[in-house]
Amino acid sequence: NLDGFQGLTTIGETIYIQNNNSLVGIDDGFSSLTTIPGSLIIGSNPLLADLSGFSSLTTVGSNNNGDFELLSNPSITTLSDVQNLSSVYGNISVEYNTGLCQSSVFLWLASIFTPQSSIVSIQSTSIRFFERSPPLRREVDTEKNKEK
């Protein structure tokens, strides 16, 4: 567990929580932290099911920089623990978290997606929206067989 960090109110840059085969939860680990000026990267933690230690987190990144990445954590079944996150200034990636259902990821994204977020990527329960991608839906004039 990461309970030793519950008094932490500021951080200099990025938090990495990766490759922890025994980590089950972040419980109250970072419960006082509201902003991470860099990125939050949580990946390859096969037993991690609880992100409640980030329940106070509202912002990841600053100045068009700072990613939120949740990668390969198969025991996570909900993103409600990070429901207060309202701004991500870089990319959002939620990939290969096989315990998450796509609809819960969509609902979570709808609640946090802001213009500051340039890329949203969800794979294998995944979605990708790229800043400079073609439109998700194109209209075609069937009479002229041309795109509108």
Side-chain angles (χ1 to χ4, degrees), residues 2-11 28-34 53:
L2 299 174
D3 288 345
F5 296 102
Q6 67 263 30
L8 189 66
T9 57
T10 60
I11 187 165
D28 293 325
F30 295 92
S31 58
S32 299
L33 195 60
T34 59

Side-chain angles (χ1 to χ4, degrees), residues 15 17 26 30 36 40 42 51-57 81-82:
I15 293 177
I17 300 172
I26 299 176
F30 295 92
I36 298 172
L40 175 58
I42 302 171
L51 298 174
S52 63
F54 289 108
S55 61
S56 297
L57 188 63
D81 293 334
V82 286

Side-chain angles (χ1 to χ4, degrees), residues 83 101 128:
Q83 68 185 6
C101 107
R128 280 185 183 252

Side-chain angles (χ1 to χ4, degrees), residues 103-129:
S103 61
S104 69
V105 176
F106 278 116
L107 290 172
W108 177 77
L109 280 172
S111 72
I112 68 156
F113 192 74
T114 62
Q116 295 95 338
S117 303
S118 58
I119 296 177
V120 174
S121 169
I122 306 167
Q123 297 205 3
S124 176
T125 55
S126 281
I127 308 160
R128 280 185 183 252
F129 298 110

Side-chain angles (χ1 to χ4, degrees), residues 53-124:
F54 289 108
S55 61
S56 297
L57 188 63
T58 59
T59 305
V60 172
S62 62
N63 299 323
N64 296 323
N65 218 342
D67 302 334
F68 176 88
E69 296 183 7
L70 189 62
L71 312 168
S72 299
N73 302 287
S75 297
I76 291 178
T77 59
T78 180
L79 295 173
S80 64
D81 293 334
V82 286
Q83 68 185 6
N84 290 323
L85 185 61
S86 57
S87 295
V88 175
Y89 286 86
N91 303 327
I92 299 170
S93 300
V94 180
E95 302 179 4
Y96 307 109
N97 301 289
T98 54
L100 279 174
C101 107
Q102 281 189 343
S103 61
S104 69
V105 176
F106 278 116
L107 290 172
W108 177 77
L109 280 172
S111 72
I112 68 156
F113 192 74
T114 62
Q116 295 95 338
S117 303
S118 58
I119 296 177
V120 174
S121 169
I122 306 167
Q123 297 205 3
S124 176

